[in-house]
Amino acid sequence: PPRSTLFPYTTLFRSKLKDEDYKGFYRELYPYTFEEPLFHIHLNVDYPFNLTGILYFPKLKNNLEVQKDKIQLYCNQVFVTDSVEGIVPDFLTLLHGVLDSPDIPLNVSRSFLQSDPNVKKISGHITKKVADKLEELFKKERKEFEAKWDDIKIFIEYGMIAEDKFYERAVKFALYKNTEGKYFTMEEYTKLIKETQTDKDKKLTYLYASDAKEQHSFIEAAKEKGYDVLVMDTPLSGHLIGKLEQKLENSSFARVDSEPIEKLIKKDDEMPSKLSEKEKEKLKPIVEGVLPKDKFIVMFESMSEKDNPILITRPEFSRRMKDMSALGGGMMGMGNMPEMINLIVNSNHPLIGRILKEKDTKKKKKITKQAVDLALLSQSMLKGEELTKFVKRSLELI
């Protein structure tokens, strides 16, 4: 659109503008964008620097592959650039809108811009105004804020990871959703779980799921113990968890499928095993014989008889490092490493004792394979020919 139509909105006082004016301005800026923005921030500063503008929050969902050229920069109403990195913090480049300032030097390098005192002040001011707006929405219209949370959470997570000053503000309004669909601030959530999810060593464990459907059985096992599980499912969740663990005292995060629930939150001394070490050594090659040899590590755990006979888990540390490395920022080389998966045999389950005592070799292998396939099936890891064989075997056993 002609630039003359853009700036009445940035130079007027907010009291003279209605919500429809802001939406109309957004449609002029982005005529090919069909979704309306979630909300906006109006900037109008004349001291200690001059800055006017409007920033809009688009719907981001879980997408980090968004264009970072949606903020248009003007100098005295003359268009300069839509590449504002170095002028605003990187996480704010996910926003849309327009800025006008005569105080930003425009014909110098990006490295100079980042050290320019006026640019630093402007960048800090914009970050503060964004945090002010989010906190205001949270305090005054929490239900509406919760309804919009899933559309803006990746932006806030990005800011919390990238900017310590933004993190300190965001801890007041950043929300965390549990598997029941309820929203909490970190302070509220800590109070909710502190009594039940503190282990015998006084360490608090935050349980989370990255995919509530795929990890449903593990979530249910946690709920049976009276525990609560968060949903942390954005591409940045691994990095955010690392940040939170640095900030929260004597606390850690564990994905709900990373260990048996008894090991994730240790309440008592380890349960005794019904199998001796010799019996475990005898059974281990039988289990390994029905598994792909390059992917699984077979181990034994003393669990309740009511727990599954065989459980598949993904170790928290190696999986988290692999996820973070794949996105960027993890340990060097971890992204290319093969996934480590633990196959845990419940040494106290009656079926495991039955397998050990079975004298018919073919039957022993058949029962073992069936138990292993059930564990694979529960993790959506049984597919193709192996799934067909499992169904056929199940019918024969029935």
Side-chain angles (χ1 to χ4, degrees):
R3 293 186 190 117
S4 59
T5 67
L6 301 181
F7 277 93
Y9 296 108
T10 60
T11 54
L12 285 172
F13 292 104
R14 279 175 284 184
S15 60
K16 295 183 180 181
L17 295 171
K18 297 178 181 179
D19 193 51
E20 189 52 44
D21 292 320
Y22 288 104
K23 289 179 180 177
F25 182 33
Y26 187 80
R27 285 191 290 271
E28 286 196 54
L29 284 170
Y30 312 106
Y32 301 109
T33 300
F34 300 104
E35 286 188 326
E36 289 191 342
L38 296 167
F39 44 84
H40 62 267
I41 298 170
H42 193 137
L43 304 166
N44 201 333
V45 186
D46 55 18
Y47 183 82
F49 50 81
N50 289 292
L51 176 71
T52 58
I54 300 171
L55 294 176
Y56 294 92
F57 282 74
K59 289 185 178 182
L60 293 178
K61 293 293 184 183
N62 278 355
N63 182 21
L64 272 181
E65 298 299 321
V66 292
Q67 287 179 288
K68 292 187 177 185
D69 57 357
K70 292 294 189 178
I71 297 178
Q72 300 176 18
L73 180 66
Y74 290 74
C75 180
N76 290 322
Q77 302 192 18
V78 176
F79 177 76
V80 178
T81 183
D82 55 13
S83 179
V84 294
E85 290 91 343
I87 299 168
V88 303
D90 192 52
F91 77 99
L92 292 180
T93 59
L94 299 179
L95 300 182
H96 295 179
V98 58
L99 298 172
D100 186 339
S101 175
D103 293 327
I104 296 177
L106 300 170
N107 11 341
V108 292
S109 68
R110 290 285 168 195
S111 59
F112 182 88
L113 276 177
Q114 290 171 350
S115 61
D116 183 85
N118 275 337
V119 173
K120 284 186 176 180
K121 288 177 186 176
I122 290 170
S123 176
H125 177 78
I126 294 171
T127 302
K128 179 182 180 301
K129 294 296 286 185
V130 168
D132 287 345
K133 178 69 174 182
L134 292 166
E135 188 173 353
E136 178 189 359
L137 285 170
F138 169 72
K139 287 180 176 178
K140 293 183 178 179
E141 304 171 39
R142 177 155 178 171
K143 285 187 178 180
E144 185 181 341
F145 188 75
E146 288 182 359
K148 293 175 178 177
W149 178 253
D150 287 344
D151 292 318
I152 63 170
K153 65 181 177 180
I154 198 165
F155 161 80
I156 295 174
E157 288 179 0
Y158 191 1
M160 291 174 74
I161 294 163
E163 298 279 338
D164 275 336
K165 286 185 178 179
F166 185 77
Y167 177 93
E168 297 304 327
R169 293 292 306 277
V171 291
K172 299 174 185 176
F173 54 76
L175 296 178
Y176 303 85
K177 183 171 70 173
N178 70 3
T179 53
E180 304 295 320
K182 296 178 181 178
Y183 293 88
F184 306 86
T185 63
M186 184 51 68
E187 183 180 3
E188 292 167 347
Y189 193 71
T190 300
K191 288 179 182 177
L192 176 73
I193 67 167
K194 191 162 189 177
E195 185 176 345
T196 54
Q197 292 179 213
T198 299
D199 66 17
K200 63 186 182 71
D201 298 317
K202 308 300 181 186
K203 187 173 184 179
L204 181 61
T205 299
Y206 296 83
L207 300 174
Y208 72 96
S210 60
D211 188 317
K213 287 184 179 180
E214 282 196 5
Q215 293 148 18
H216 180 266
S217 62
F218 291 93
I219 293 168
E220 289 303 304
K223 286 181 179 178
E224 285 176 12
K225 295 283 187 182
Y227 302 150
D228 196 82
V229 181
L230 292 171
V231 177
M232 304 188 77
D233 58 357
T234 75
L236 293 175
S237 289
H239 292 272
L240 178 63
I241 285 167
K243 185 84 171 187
L244 290 169
E245 286 178 332
Q246 292 173 18
K247 298 288 185 179
L248 298 170
E249 292 183 4
N250 203 28
S251 302
S252 65
F253 284 71
R255 204 169 87 175
V256 73
D257 64 342
S258 59
E259 294 280 2
I261 191 64
E262 292 85 357
K263 288 198 71 177
L264 289 177
I265 304 176
K266 294 181 180 180
K267 290 291 187 178
D268 304 300
D269 293 332
E270 191 172 324
M271 188 180 294
S273 172
K274 289 184 177 180
L275 298 184
S276 66
E277 291 303 314
K278 284 187 177 180
E279 287 174 322
K280 291 177 185 177
E281 289 174 13
K282 184 178 178 181
L283 187 57
K284 188 174 181 180
I286 297 170
V287 177
E288 289 175 336
V290 299
L291 278 171
K293 292 183 172 51
D294 59 342
K295 200 169 187 178
F296 296 91
I297 300 172
V298 176
M299 55 182 62
F300 291 82
E301 293 289 349
S302 303
M303 298 186 286
S304 167
E305 291 183 2
K306 295 179 181 179
D307 290 326
N308 291 341
I310 294 177
L311 196 68
I312 290 172
T313 65
R314 292 169 170 82
E316 178 71 15
F317 176 78
S318 60
R319 180 202 47 74
R320 193 191 297 185
M321 290 302 103
K322 180 178 172 65
D323 290 349
M324 290 172 65
S325 182
L327 183 65
M331 294 178 69
M332 188 177 295
M334 287 293 288
N336 297 321
M337 287 184 65
E339 185 179 13
M340 288 176 60
I341 301 175
N342 290 336
L343 187 134
I344 298 174
V345 179
N346 180 358
S347 61
N348 293 328
H349 196 280
L351 180 63
I352 302 305
R354 179 186 162 192
I355 292 171
L356 189 65
K357 292 175 183 177
E358 178 59 57
K359 294 181 179 179
D360 186 321
T361 305
K362 287 185 179 180
K363 193 173 182 181
K364 185 192 291 278
K365 184 177 180 181
K366 197 173 192 178
I367 297 170
T368 305
K369 179 64 173 170
Q370 190 73 358
V372 167
D373 283 356
L374 279 168
L376 292 169
L377 187 65
S378 71
Q379 292 297 300
S380 302
M381 296 174 68
L382 194 66
K383 298 176 182 178
E385 184 181 354
E386 289 301 315
L387 179 57
T388 303
K389 289 179 179 178
F390 168 78
V391 173
K392 186 178 179 181
R393 194 185 320 114
S394 298
L395 290 172
E396 289 172 358
L397 288 170
I398 290 171

